[in-house]
Every structure is written in C-alpha cells, then in structure tokens.
Amino acid sequence: MKILVTGGCGYIGSHTVVELIDAGHKVCILDNLSNSSSLVLDRIEKITGTKPEFFKGDIKSKDDLNDVFNLANFDCVIHFAGLKAVGESVEKPLEYYENNVCGTINLLQAMREHNCNNIIFSSSATVYGSPKSNPIFEDFPKLKATNPYGETKSVIEDILIDNAKANANFNAVLLRYFNPIGAHKSGLIGEDPKGIPNNLMPYITQVAVGKLERLGVFGNDYNTVDGTGVRDYIHVVDLSLGHLASLKCFDLDNNPQIEKSNCHIYNLGTGKGTSVLELVDAFESANDIEIPYEICPRRAGDIDECFANCDKAFKELGWKTKFNIVDMANDSWNWQINNPQGYQL
C-alpha cells in the first residue's frame, strides 16, 4: 500500500514508519517538525535501508495538504499529527482544539477531494475519562475527558464515526492507545521531547543520564497500590505493530474474523497496570541505576488508574504485545545513553 503518515517524524510515527517499510509498504511522511526532527529520516533509512518520502507541511494548512495529496494516490492515511501534552492542553486549550480538531477536519476534506477513503487514527485511552472500573473494554461509554487533550481525541473520534456513517466508502480505524514507552532496539530512534518531558519514561531516562536532577512524581495519594498513578505502559514497537495489523480492516473480504463495518475501534495496551513507582523500580533494577525522585502536587487532569482489555485486537487483528516492562526500560535507556541530547548533534 501507499500510505501517508502525518506526524511520521514523531515518536510513535517514526517507529510505525519503520514497521510499515519493513512490511513492504511505501510511505510518505507529512510533518511540520514542530516537535520532531528531520534527522529521523536518516535514522529510519539506517534501520530499514529505505528513506521514506518526506513533505514538510502542517495539517492546519489546506494548501500543504493539497500539495502532499497531489504527490501520489494514497491508499491510506495513518494520522499521528497532533499536540499531545496533557498539562499543556489545560493551559492552552484553544491551541489544542485548533491544531488537533481543525487540522483533522482539513485532513479529512483533503482525503475526500483526492479520493482517499481509509484512515487509521491515533486516539487515546483518555476518551474513557475516569473509568468506573478496570480493565477498560472498547464498549465502555466515553465519558467527559479530564483534560482538553483528551477531549480533542474524543471529538475527532466522533467526527470520524459520523463521517463513516455518512459515507459507506469511508473506512476508519480508531486506535485507543494507553501509555507508549520504550524505543527501537537499534537505539537509533526514540522519544525526544522538547524541553522538560511531559511523559514519565523520558523524564526517568533524562534523570539517569544527568540532564535532570530528579524525577517529579505527581501525587502519591491516589487510590492505588502505592498511592502513585497506575497506567498501562506499552512498548512503542508493539504499538506500531498494532497499526500494521489494523490495515487488515481495509481488506475485510480476506479477514472474515473482523466485523463487517467501516468503523473499527481497538484498545492497544498490555492489559496490565503499573504504578509510577513500580516503573521507577523496574528501570532501576533493569539498568542498575538509581533514580532520585520527589513527590510533587497532582497534575490537573490526571486520574487514579487506567489499563486496557485488548482481547478484541487479538481476536480480530491477531495482535498482542511481545514486550514486557523490563524490555521497555532497557530499550528506553539504550536510546537515551546513545543519544543523550536526543536528535541534537
């Protein structure tokens, strides 16, 4: 397939591009590089032997989208491009709605104009809000998201579902991620946040490499095993392979195990919850490094715990995770120690 990957130079996007190329697909990346680096393209080439086609552009720009769709007849779009920091979204909600929601509408309009009818969307477990129970199944009701970032994901899901209802030729797959961490085993690509990390694992690795003095643990009074937040951490390569498996949804005739529908929703996680301090302990044990930390006030928008049931993805797509929390810790550290400044030279 010829696949357009928006945000393909980012953390999850770059790992997915590697898996797509390795599986024989042709990839074009659209990225504005606001939270990523063009050096990723050379790293992908080193891993796969193929340098993906690249177009620097922004989903907020209809002209950029029209130009990239004029490059080829794309069979599918995998849509990663979006702002993604929970805390920042609380402070800058308008920017998040403009970029994530309006940008996606622009993308869908461009797809319609260029007769591209298949999309895989990078959604999030935040659409479940604060769930009444765990594990979380796909048929749980969506609740009011606890932050604007999560609300943009929920709104985009609704737009995709409505568009699928209105157009029988349009096919959407909504992948509800839990918490991706880890890096490619080569150590060539990984998570490279700008400034102070918003996510836990890159914060841990930057403390380990000496860029940051100590880890801030946001809250220790949650109703969990040790008072710190519990999340379902999934290796980024497992997550990327979930996107690859999701392409089966666009070939239902050859995949009778998948429900006959033009809109599919899957959880992508491990099905196991891990607390912040349990993840710190796993990293320390796996890499023999002490991570100093301090307890800080809770962050706005965080919840006690959140972990997935992923039976549907296994039953319909044949997908399940391969890597455990120790693998995630090892690969995260391998990336950081080989790239102490991220992609900066």
Side-chain angles (χ1 to χ4, degrees):
M1 296 178 73
K2 179 69 174 181
I3 301 174
L4 176 64
V5 181
T6 70
C9 288
Y11 174 45
I12 302 170
S14 60
H15 286 81
T16 301
V17 168
V18 166
E19 300 304 327
L20 292 170
I21 292 174
D22 282 348
H25 297 287
K26 297 180 180 179
V27 177
C28 176
I29 293 173
L30 170 70
D31 202 306
N32 67 6
L33 302 179
S34 64
N35 193 34
S36 57
S37 170
S38 61
L39 295 177
V40 169
L41 301 169
D42 295 327
R43 303 291 184 92
I44 291 173
E45 183 178 20
K46 286 182 180 179
I47 294 169
T48 66
T50 300
K51 191 170 187 176
E53 189 174 4
F54 174 72
F55 184 94
K56 185 177 181 181
D58 196 308
I59 60 171
K60 296 195 300 295
S61 168
K62 293 184 178 182
D63 288 339
D64 286 353
L65 287 167
N66 187 61
D67 288 344
V68 76
F69 274 97
N70 281 332
L71 294 175
N73 293 319
F74 294 107
D75 299 299
C76 170
V77 173
I78 302 182
H79 181 30
F80 296 105
L83 301 175
K84 62 177 185 176
V86 169
E88 183 183 62
S89 76
V90 176
E91 299 170 358
K92 300 178 179 179
L94 295 182
E95 286 83 348
Y96 271 68
Y97 283 104
E98 178 187 21
N99 188 88
N100 295 3
V101 177
C102 296
T104 300
I105 292 172
N106 291 341
L107 174 63
L108 291 171
Q109 289 173 335
M111 289 175 63
R112 181 175 60 188
E113 291 167 9
H114 293 268
N115 199 32
C116 179
N117 292 311
N118 301 315
I119 187 169
I120 297 172
F121 174 55
S122 167
S123 192
S124 168
T126 57
V127 301
Y128 295 113
S130 183
K132 294 181 179 179
S133 64
N134 283 279
I136 297 168
F137 293 78
E138 288 90 348
D139 61 0
F140 275 27
K142 290 203 299 180
L143 302 176
K144 174 68 177 177
T146 57
N147 53 74
Y149 159 74
E151 194 63 21
T152 67
K153 294 294 187 182
S154 183
V155 170
I156 293 168
E157 282 198 3
D158 291 343
I159 291 169
L160 292 170
I161 291 168
D162 287 343
N163 200 42
K165 289 177 181 177
N167 182 358
N169 294 321
F170 178 77
N171 302 291
V173 181
L174 316 180
L175 298 181
R176 293 174 176 169
Y177 305 170
F178 280 68
N179 292 73
I181 59 175
H184 193 270
K185 63 182 179 180
S186 66
L188 289 170
I189 57 174
E191 189 167 10
D192 181 26
K194 306 296 183 184
I196 302 298
N198 288 295
N199 295 328
L200 178 57
M201 183 56 85
Y203 209 122
I204 291 174
T205 60
Q206 288 193 17
V207 171
V209 82
K211 286 184 70 175
L212 297 172
E213 184 177 353
R214 61 177 55 85
L215 170 69
V217 176
F218 297 102
N220 66 344
D221 58 347
Y222 289 103
N223 184 26
T224 61
V225 62
D226 56 22
T228 62
V230 168
R231 298 293 182 269
D232 188 339
Y233 296 99
I234 175 175
H235 198 294
V236 66
V237 173
D238 277 330
L239 185 62
S240 299
L241 290 169
H243 293 76
L244 186 63
S246 297
L247 293 172
K248 295 177 183 178
C249 293
F250 306 138
D251 185 18
L252 296 182
D253 289 341
N254 290 314
N255 293 283
Q257 75 280 7
I258 300 176
E259 179 186 358
K260 299 298 182 183
S261 171
N262 63 336
C263 187
H264 296 86
I265 300 173
Y266 299 102
N267 288 337
L268 295 184
T270 64
K272 175 179 171 56
T274 302
S275 77
V276 172
L277 293 184
E278 285 174 336
L279 186 60
V280 171
D281 288 344
F283 184 90
E284 290 180 330
S285 299
N287 298 296
D288 195 25
I289 299 171
E290 183 178 353
I291 303 297
Y293 67 86
E294 62 180 347
I295 305 298
C296 303
R298 291 188 183 198
R299 290 186 304 187
D302 278 346
I303 61 176
D304 290 18
E305 64 178 349
C306 178
F307 58 95
N309 178 284
C310 300
D311 292 347
K312 183 181 177 185
F314 178 67
K315 178 182 178 182
E316 296 194 7
L317 305 178
W319 174 89
K320 62 179 179 179
T321 57
K322 301 177 181 178
F323 302 104
N324 60 34
I325 204 74
V326 174
D327 298 322
M328 301 177 211
N330 285 334
D331 290 340
S332 295
W333 180 233
N334 183 47
W335 152 255
Q336 188 71 76
I337 198 66
N338 283 291
N339 303 272
Q341 302 301 321
Y343 291 111
Q344 298 179 37
L345 300 178

